[in-house]
Amino acid sequence: MNLTHEIQSIVYAIPGTILGITLHEFAHAVTSYALGDPTPRYDGRLSLNPLRHFEWKGTLCLILFHFGWAKPVMINPRYYKNPRVGSMLVAAAGPLTNLILSFLSLVIYTLSLLFLQGTEAGYMIGTFSQYSAFINVGLFVFNLIPIPPLDGHHILGGLFPPIRKLYSRFPQAMTVILLLIVFTGVANGPLAYIDALVIQKVWYLAAMFLNQVLPLFL
């Protein structure tokens, strides 16, 4: 890959990355708030302003190296009627939002091919939306890894209390394990395989949706 193509890839990845991170964190905040926790509102996280959610080093790493982080949304599960279930719902809201964004991105990509093919606008919209789809699937899959501080560990810990206790006993060890997985690349193959499976299913759902909706407008 030459330098020009590398720069183009980074530029195309920026909108999807900004959208994915912002809505991921906003989903955590709004879900916790809906469950009765005022903490995200006090912290100013009930916002669609990306600046409220970005941690700049983490965002830059995500764009350049496909691994990064955002500013964590602070929550207080004691406000929930059921803290265990509430924590799981809040954790799941972020990755689920990325999955929905991937679906919408593929719908936009397909519409750009159908109605703007051969135009500069169609090329730009199609390219940005295609990058957004893959970025958000990547965020969905990566955040479901059940290792702290990723969202997957809240879900798995909520389902299995003994595992939650294990997380709390060895928090630093868990962080080291995650860093080793990321920087050694040992999980790159499995993650890429899962990403491909997920994007295939999302493509299928987007195609089904458009097959049902487009005839209503044509």
Side-chain angles (χ1 to χ4, degrees):
M1 182 182 292
N2 59 43
L3 181 60
T4 301
H5 192 274
E6 184 79 33
I7 294 172
Q8 286 178 339
S9 296
I10 292 172
V11 170
Y12 288 137
I14 289 174
T17 301
I18 292 174
L19 193 64
I21 290 176
T22 301
L23 292 184
H24 179 108
E25 299 302 327
F26 175 76
H28 286 319
V30 76
T31 303
S32 189
Y33 183 71
L35 292 172
D37 176 18
T39 308
R41 179 169 65 85
Y42 294 149
D43 288 344
R45 303 303 295 274
L46 292 178
S47 172
L48 292 174
N49 180 356
L51 298 178
R52 297 280 188 176
H53 305 289
F54 279 7
E55 204 289 329
W56 289 104
K57 289 181 289 186
T59 303
L60 185 62
C61 285
L62 183 61
I63 293 171
L64 295 176
F65 307 115
H66 309 294
F67 163 72
W69 57 92
K71 188 188 301 181
V73 173
M74 301 303 295
I75 64 171
N76 189 343
R78 289 181 295 180
Y79 285 102
Y80 307 153
K81 291 182 179 179
N82 186 324
R84 182 179 66 86
V85 173
S87 296
M88 292 171 62
L89 291 174
V90 172
L96 181 59
T97 298
N98 292 123
L99 191 64
I100 294 170
L101 281 173
S102 180
F103 169 81
L104 293 175
S105 296
L106 289 178
V107 168
I108 294 170
Y109 173 75
T110 305
L111 291 175
S112 72
L113 291 181
L114 291 174
F115 299 109
L116 297 172
Q117 189 171 20
T119 67
E120 185 175 348
Y123 174 78
M124 295 297 292
I125 292 171
T127 303
F128 280 121
S129 57
Q130 189 177 31
Y131 270 76
S132 176
F134 283 94
I135 287 167
N136 278 285
V137 161
L139 288 170
F140 166 75
V141 173
F142 182 75
N143 277 284
L144 287 180
I145 295 175
I147 300 176
L150 300 177
D151 298 321
H153 99 276
H154 291 293
I155 299 172
L156 187 65
L159 291 172
F160 303 102
I163 294 180
R164 185 172 68 247
K165 292 179 180 178
L166 182 66
Y167 289 144
S168 63
R169 288 183 63 188
F170 304 103
Q172 293 182 337
M174 295 295 171
T175 302
V176 170
I177 290 172
L178 179 61
L179 291 174
L180 286 174
I181 288 174
V182 170
F183 289 111
T184 62
V186 67
N188 287 357
L191 288 176
Y193 177 75
I194 297 171
D195 284 352
L197 287 179
V198 173
I199 202 74
Q200 184 180 31
K201 298 300 181 183
V202 178
W203 265 114
Y204 177 74
L205 291 175
M208 284 185 59
F209 172 77
L210 289 171
N211 285 337
Q212 294 296 319
V213 170
L214 281 180
L216 300 177
F217 299 94
L218 297 178

